[in-house]
Amino acid sequence: MDKLSVLRRSLLFSALDATFLPKIAGRAFSKAFGRGETIFQEGEEAMGFYIVGRGQVKIFKLSPGGGEHILHLIGEGGVFAEAVVFGRLTRYPAFAQALTDAQLLFFPKQDFLGLMKADFGLALAVLNSVSEKLRYFNALVEELSLKSADARLAKYLLDLSSRAPGAVFALGVKKVELAARLGIAPETLSRLLRRFKARKLISLQKDRICLLSKDRLQRVCGGEKV
């Protein structure tokens, strides 16, 4: 795995001056996880943070009854557990598990803090990237709170399509996990997908999707009812 390439794609470091990236890459370790493998558990000592180079990771908590509540789905370039470096957390506050075979970059907390302390310019650049990520998540929270379920699904499909190499593409995650990502119940997601198909916005076969009308999906994003 090319560490510099992963850093250039990452939400946290993509905006940094390229001269900083080799220093950061030098503090990272490549780690591989198989599908379903636990990366860390809630309450485990927080040793550092991760960037997804390839694959997908889910962050979740368990209810007292053992039910799983998905907090985030992290794709390629995504960063997780960085709060252990930039906050006061000493233990991971949730579980992390590989949804697919995954290649990750791991940054030990103390090594990364030492790098920032030694280079004030790098520290400022990283803090600026952190603030950009916070703005991104603020926008995501606003989207989840203000947009309807069909608008959120339409936006997700359009975003996924823009990254797909062809006209037909896979959802990439289980439907229950996608529902958690969109903040809706799994049965609501199934109902919306059937409605989108009936309105000829998409064609759907198992988990393979083709967008039949991106213009109409854009209007759904804007609030038009399906």
Side-chain angles (χ1 to χ4, degrees), residues 23-94:
K23 293 181 182 180
I24 297 171
R27 302 300 176 102
F29 295 88
S30 297
K31 290 192 174 188
F33 293 87
R35 180 177 181 176
E37 189 174 351
T38 297
I39 299 166
F40 55 73
Q41 298 185 53
E42 182 176 1
E44 183 180 320
E45 184 179 359
M47 302 301 294
F49 70 98
Y50 296 81
I51 296 178
V52 180
R54 285 195 293 273
Q56 194 169 46
V57 171
K58 69 175 176 180
I59 310 298
F60 65 96
K61 292 180 77 71
L62 293 178
S63 70
E68 185 178 293
H69 177 65
I70 297 174
L71 303 175
H72 306 292
L73 298 176
I74 314 293
E76 295 182 4
V79 184
F80 61 99
E82 71 276 21
V84 306
V85 173
F86 302 112
R88 296 183 178 181
L89 294 177
T90 59
R91 300 193 176 274
Y92 291 117

Side-chain angles (χ1 to χ4, degrees), residues 22 41 45-46 55 57 71 75 95-96 98-100 126 138 147-148 158 221:
Q41 298 185 53
E45 184 179 359
V57 171
L71 303 175
F95 293 82
L99 274 176
T100 64
V126 170
N138 283 338
K147 286 195 172 184
S148 64
L158 287 167
C221 284

